[in-house]
Amino acid sequence: GERYAAEHGGPHGVLQGVYRQIESHPGPVALAGHGAVIGAGTLISLSCEFVVVGEDTTIAIPEINYDIASDRGASVLPQYVGHHVASEMLLTGEAIDPERAHELGMVNDVVSEDADAVRERALELLEAVADQDGDVVASVVGRMPSVEP
C-alpha cells in the first residue's frame, strides 16, 4: 500500500498515468461502456477517440456528492460539453442519459442491445481505422488537440 503510493502517487497518480497513456497512444483508443460510466470512467472516456455505450448506461461525475472536487472534470469536461452543462454535471453530480451524452458529443454511439453488442460496435470503429495507413492514423491522432487538465 504505502510503497505503491510512494512510487505511483496513490490513486490520483495512477489515474493521471492512465490518462497520459491513453492520450499519448499513437492510435485510437475505444471505451465500450455498459451499465455505468461514472466518475473516473467518464473522465477516462473523454481521453478516448471512440466511446460506445449501451442505452441503459449511467454517465455521471458524482464526486461532489462525496465532498470531492473533480479537478480533472472541471478542467476537461467544459471542452466537450461547454461551461453550463459541465457545471450541471460537476456541481449536481446528477447522471445524464446516453442519448443526451450522444447529443453533447461525449459518445460516438448508443447501442440498444447488451454489453456484447456495445463491445462489438466499439471494435467495429477500431477495425475501420485498422484498414487505414498506420502512419497517417498516428499523424491524425497526434494532431488532434489533447485533453489537458
Side-chain angles (χ1 to χ4, degrees):
E2 288 180 29
R3 181 175 168 211
Y4 183 87
E7 290 178 17
H8 301 283
H12 179 73
V14 171
L15 280 174
Q16 294 304 315
V18 170
Y19 302 138
R20 279 191 300 278
Q21 275 192 306
I22 293 169
E23 292 162 8
S24 66
H25 191 275
V29 176
L31 180 136
H34 189 267
V37 179
I38 296 176
T42 299
L43 298 175
I44 288 170
S45 76
L46 298 176
S47 296
C48 297
E49 283 74 29
F50 300 123
V51 179
V52 179
V53 297
E55 68 181 355
D56 61 345
T57 302
T58 300
I59 301 166
I61 304 174
E63 280 83 339
I64 198 152
N65 296 327
Y66 303 98
D67 298 329
I68 299 170
S70 178
D71 293 337
R72 185 168 177 90
S75 61
V76 172
L77 190 61
Q79 296 176 47
Y80 286 89
V81 299
H83 175 81
H84 296 107
V85 174
S87 295
E88 174 188 347
M89 291 181 70
L90 294 168
L91 296 174
T92 68
E94 294 176 1
I96 62 170
D97 65 55
E99 287 301 329
R100 184 168 183 212
H102 186 256
E103 291 168 8
L104 293 168
M106 291 178 68
V107 303
N108 298 86
D109 205 354
V110 178
V111 177
S112 63
E113 291 133 36
D114 62 11
D116 288 337
V118 172
R119 182 179 51 81
E120 287 302 317
R121 177 63 183 131
L123 288 172
E124 286 173 9
L125 290 167
L126 291 173
E127 288 168 359
V129 175
D131 292 339
Q132 309 304 324
D133 179 277
D135 291 334
V136 174
V137 169
S139 176
V140 170
V141 170
R143 291 178 186 189
M144 295 176 78
S146 76
V147 180
E148 295 294 329

mmCIF file of all heavy atoms in Angstrom, residues 68-87:
data_model
loop_
_atom_site.group_PDB
_atom_site.id
_atom_site.type_symbol
_atom_site.label_atom_id
_atom_site.label_comp_id
_atom_site.label_asym_id
_atom_site.label_seq_id
_atom_site.Cartn_x
_atom_site.Cartn_y
_atom_site.Cartn_z
ATOM 1 N N ILE A 68 -15.902 15.631 -2.804
ATOM 2 C CA ILE A 68 -14.653 15.582 -3.565
ATOM 3 C C ILE A 68 -14.801 16.512 -4.768
ATOM 4 O O ILE A 68 -15.792 16.442 -5.493
ATOM 5 C CB ILE A 68 -14.350 14.149 -4.051
ATOM 6 C CG1 ILE A 68 -14.202 13.199 -2.854
ATOM 7 C CG2 ILE A 68 -13.108 14.124 -4.932
ATOM 8 C CD1 ILE A 68 -14.148 11.731 -3.247
ATOM 9 N N ALA A 69 -13.815 17.371 -4.961
ATOM 10 C CA ALA A 69 -13.804 18.236 -6.139
ATOM 11 C C ALA A 69 -13.140 17.481 -7.283
ATOM 12 O O ALA A 69 -12.028 16.981 -7.135
ATOM 13 C CB ALA A 69 -13.033 19.521 -5.847
ATOM 14 N N SER A 70 -13.813 17.382 -8.400
ATOM 15 C CA SER A 70 -13.246 16.710 -9.567
ATOM 16 C C SER A 70 -12.415 17.720 -10.348
ATOM 17 O O SER A 70 -12.916 18.394 -11.252
ATOM 18 C CB SER A 70 -14.349 16.121 -10.442
ATOM 19 O OG SER A 70 -13.781 15.521 -11.587
ATOM 20 N N ASP A 71 -11.131 17.817 -9.992
ATOM 21 C CA ASP A 71 -10.251 18.777 -10.659
ATOM 22 C C ASP A 71 -10.160 18.507 -12.151
ATOM 23 O O ASP A 71 -10.269 19.424 -12.965
ATOM 24 C CB ASP A 71 -8.853 18.733 -10.045
ATOM 25 C CG ASP A 71 -8.841 19.227 -8.607
ATOM 26 O OD1 ASP A 71 -9.750 19.976 -8.218
ATOM 27 O OD2 ASP A 71 -7.907 18.841 -7.873
ATOM 28 N N ARG A 72 -9.966 17.247 -12.517
ATOM 29 C CA ARG A 72 -9.862 16.916 -13.945
ATOM 30 C C ARG A 72 -11.187 17.187 -14.647
ATOM 31 O O ARG A 72 -11.210 17.717 -15.759
ATOM 32 C CB ARG A 72 -9.423 15.477 -14.154
ATOM 33 C CG ARG A 72 -9.204 15.176 -15.632
ATOM 34 C CD ARG A 72 -8.494 13.864 -15.850
ATOM 35 N NE ARG A 72 -8.353 13.561 -17.239
ATOM 36 C CZ ARG A 72 -7.322 13.926 -18.004
ATOM 37 N NH1 ARG A 72 -6.331 14.609 -17.483
ATOM 38 N NH2 ARG A 72 -7.269 13.599 -19.274
ATOM 39 N N GLY A 73 -12.291 16.842 -14.005
ATOM 40 C CA GLY A 73 -13.589 17.121 -14.601
ATOM 41 C C GLY A 73 -13.769 18.608 -14.866
ATOM 42 O O GLY A 73 -14.232 19.016 -15.929
ATOM 43 N N ALA A 74 -13.386 19.427 -13.887
ATOM 44 C CA ALA A 74 -13.554 20.878 -14.025
ATOM 45 C C ALA A 74 -12.680 21.455 -15.126
ATOM 46 O O ALA A 74 -13.060 22.430 -15.782
ATOM 47 C CB ALA A 74 -13.255 21.564 -12.697
ATOM 48 N N SER A 75 -11.530 20.854 -15.361
ATOM 49 C CA SER A 75 -10.633 21.402 -16.377
ATOM 50 C C SER A 75 -10.846 20.805 -17.762
ATOM 51 O O SER A 75 -10.516 21.436 -18.761
ATOM 52 C CB SER A 75 -9.174 21.228 -15.941
ATOM 53 O OG SER A 75 -8.868 19.870 -15.778
ATOM 54 N N VAL A 76 -11.421 19.604 -17.830
ATOM 55 C CA VAL A 76 -11.549 18.911 -19.115
ATOM 56 C C VAL A 76 -12.982 18.918 -19.654
ATOM 57 O O VAL A 76 -13.211 19.160 -20.836
ATOM 58 C CB VAL A 76 -11.029 17.461 -18.983
ATOM 59 C CG1 VAL A 76 -11.326 16.653 -20.219
ATOM 60 C CG2 VAL A 76 -9.542 17.468 -18.701
ATOM 61 N N LEU A 77 -13.948 18.653 -18.808
ATOM 62 C CA LEU A 77 -15.332 18.493 -19.269
ATOM 63 C C LEU A 77 -15.866 19.704 -20.037
ATOM 64 O O LEU A 77 -16.542 19.522 -21.061
ATOM 65 C CB LEU A 77 -16.243 18.132 -18.094
ATOM 66 C CG LEU A 77 -17.664 17.713 -18.449
ATOM 67 C CD1 LEU A 77 -17.663 16.457 -19.323
ATOM 68 C CD2 LEU A 77 -18.482 17.482 -17.186
ATOM 69 N N PRO A 78 -15.584 20.954 -19.616
ATOM 70 C CA PRO A 78 -16.112 22.087 -20.388
ATOM 71 C C PRO A 78 -15.652 22.105 -21.838
ATOM 72 O O PRO A 78 -16.358 22.635 -22.700
ATOM 73 C CB PRO A 78 -15.580 23.306 -19.620
ATOM 74 C CG PRO A 78 -15.385 22.815 -18.230
ATOM 75 C CD PRO A 78 -14.920 21.381 -18.381
ATOM 76 N N GLN A 79 -14.484 21.525 -22.138
ATOM 77 C CA GLN A 79 -14.008 21.468 -23.521
ATOM 78 C C GLN A 79 -14.946 20.627 -24.390
ATOM 79 O O GLN A 79 -15.004 20.820 -25.601
ATOM 80 C CB GLN A 79 -12.605 20.857 -23.576
ATOM 81 C CG GLN A 79 -11.554 21.676 -22.870
ATOM 82 C CD GLN A 79 -10.216 20.966 -22.877
ATOM 83 O OE1 GLN A 79 -9.774 20.458 -23.909
ATOM 84 N NE2 GLN A 79 -9.560 20.921 -21.726
ATOM 85 N N TYR A 80 -15.643 19.689 -23.781
ATOM 86 C CA TYR A 80 -16.524 18.785 -24.523
ATOM 87 C C TYR A 80 -17.968 19.244 -24.552
ATOM 88 O O TYR A 80 -18.631 19.112 -25.566
ATOM 89 C CB TYR A 80 -16.456 17.378 -23.920
ATOM 90 C CG TYR A 80 -15.181 16.686 -24.258
ATOM 91 C CD1 TYR A 80 -14.070 16.827 -23.447
ATOM 92 C CD2 TYR A 80 -15.067 15.919 -25.408
ATOM 93 C CE1 TYR A 80 -12.879 16.212 -23.767
ATOM 94 C CE2 TYR A 80 -13.878 15.312 -25.735
ATOM 95 C CZ TYR A 80 -12.787 15.463 -24.914
ATOM 96 O OH TYR A 80 -11.618 14.877 -25.242
ATOM 97 N N VAL A 81 -18.451 19.728 -23.426
ATOM 98 C CA VAL A 81 -19.888 19.990 -23.317
ATOM 99 C C VAL A 81 -20.219 21.448 -23.045
ATOM 100 O O VAL A 81 -21.384 21.796 -22.961
ATOM 101 C CB VAL A 81 -20.528 19.096 -22.233
ATOM 102 C CG1 VAL A 81 -20.359 17.630 -22.572
ATOM 103 C CG2 VAL A 81 -19.975 19.405 -20.851
ATOM 104 N N GLY A 82 -19.217 22.286 -22.902
ATOM 105 C CA GLY A 82 -19.438 23.692 -22.597
ATOM 106 C C GLY A 82 -19.560 23.930 -21.095
ATOM 107 O O GLY A 82 -19.745 23.002 -20.301
ATOM 108 N N HIS A 83 -19.454 25.185 -20.739
ATOM 109 C CA HIS A 83 -19.442 25.592 -19.334
ATOM 110 C C HIS A 83 -20.722 25.219 -18.593
ATOM 111 O O HIS A 83 -20.675 24.696 -17.482
ATOM 112 C CB HIS A 83 -19.211 27.110 -19.255
ATOM 113 C CG HIS A 83 -19.296 27.658 -17.877
ATOM 114 N ND1 HIS A 83 -18.254 27.582 -16.985
ATOM 115 C CD2 HIS A 83 -20.313 28.279 -17.231
ATOM 116 C CE1 HIS A 83 -18.616 28.145 -15.847
ATOM 117 N NE2 HIS A 83 -19.862 28.575 -15.972
ATOM 118 N N HIS A 84 -21.870 25.467 -19.203
ATOM 119 C CA HIS A 84 -23.134 25.269 -18.499
ATOM 120 C C HIS A 84 -23.437 23.804 -18.213
ATOM 121 O O HIS A 84 -23.820 23.437 -17.099
ATOM 122 C CB HIS A 84 -24.285 25.934 -19.265
ATOM 123 C CG HIS A 84 -24.125 27.413 -19.324
ATOM 124 N ND1 HIS A 84 -23.759 28.060 -20.479
ATOM 125 C CD2 HIS A 84 -24.227 28.366 -18.371
ATOM 126 C CE1 HIS A 84 -23.661 29.352 -20.240
ATOM 127 N NE2 HIS A 84 -23.935 29.576 -18.962
ATOM 128 N N VAL A 85 -23.267 22.951 -19.207
ATOM 129 C CA VAL A 85 -23.529 21.525 -18.992
ATOM 130 C C VAL A 85 -22.481 20.941 -18.045
ATOM 131 O O VAL A 85 -22.812 20.143 -17.162
ATOM 132 C CB VAL A 85 -23.570 20.747 -20.329
ATOM 133 C CG1 VAL A 85 -23.703 19.258 -20.085
ATOM 134 C CG2 VAL A 85 -24.725 21.254 -21.189
ATOM 135 N N ALA A 86 -21.224 21.358 -18.198
ATOM 136 C CA ALA A 86 -20.181 20.882 -17.281
ATOM 137 C C ALA A 86 -20.519 21.287 -15.857
ATOM 138 O O ALA A 86 -20.383 20.485 -14.921
ATOM 139 C CB ALA A 86 -18.819 21.427 -17.691
ATOM 140 N N SER A 87 -20.977 22.514 -15.681
ATOM 141 C CA SER A 87 -21.367 22.977 -14.342
ATOM 142 C C SER A 87 -22.491 22.122 -13.783
ATOM 143 O O SER A 87 -22.466 21.720 -12.611
ATOM 144 C CB SER A 87 -21.807 24.441 -14.388
ATOM 145 O OG SER A 87 -20.731 25.273 -14.744
#
